[in-house]
Amino acid sequence: YKNKFTTEKPRLFFSELERYVMNSKYHTKTGRHYEERVGMVNFSIVGRNATKEERKEYADYDAEHNEREAIVAKLSKKYPALDFVIGGAVSIDIFNKGNDKSQVLKKLFGDTANDYNIVFVGDRITYPGNDHSLAAALNGLRNAKAIEVHSWEDTRALLKTKLFASG
């Protein structure tokens, strides 16, 4: 199963993303600022070519200046057929309305999701994070829970708790 990413005027859309890069006050821009993936576009001011250190520096900058949040707010108003969410430490995920992570419930479980115990672990559960839609959908189910973590170490520790103990 695949979703296709579409926008009415793709050339203008990608030019607009490039303008956000040019107008950003952030000092380091490493290139490859957007990447088309199956069903979405991943966009980053610092760029997909950034080193681990450059990514960390941008994440710190964004935590202070909320640049990605401001971009998400502006683009969401301008492109109502698309969803924009903060993904990862340095990027914004862009996809067609409704093609968010919550669609996995329908695809995997159909109308039977309430018959299962479901635990979702994500690092961007708070809006406008890219895990928010799935976490919100799980909140409406009887035997489901969404847990926010901040690192892979948090996930490892969580997996060692009674929540995931077998038997």
Side-chain angles (χ1 to χ4, degrees), residues 59-154:
D60 292 344
Y61 171 86
D62 187 53
E64 183 179 334
H65 295 92
N66 296 312
E67 181 174 52
R68 291 184 298 160
E69 229 173 280
I71 293 170
V72 163
K74 288 176 186 171
L75 290 174
S76 294
K77 287 179 184 170
K78 187 165 185 176
Y79 296 95
L82 300 176
D83 275 328
F84 300 84
V85 296
I86 293 175
V90 299
S91 63
I92 296 170
D93 293 339
I94 306 164
F95 45 86
N96 296 90
K97 210 43 107 194
N99 289 353
D100 55 45
K101 288 186 179 184
S102 70
Q103 69 183 315
V104 73
L105 290 176
K106 262 294 189 222
K107 293 291 174 196
L108 288 178
F109 302 107
D111 293 329
T112 66
N114 265 319
D115 298 340
Y116 296 89
N117 291 322
I118 302 170
V119 178
F120 171 66
V121 179
D123 66 341
R124 298 278 178 201
I125 286 177
T126 306
Y127 180 82
N130 65 348
D131 297 325
H132 177 76
S133 62
L134 180 53
L138 290 171
N139 283 337
L141 299 176
R142 224 181 4 251
N143 298 315
K145 114 178 7 189
I147 301 170
E148 188 161 26
V149 294
H150 301 286
S151 68
W152 67 267
E153 293 95 343
D154 291 349

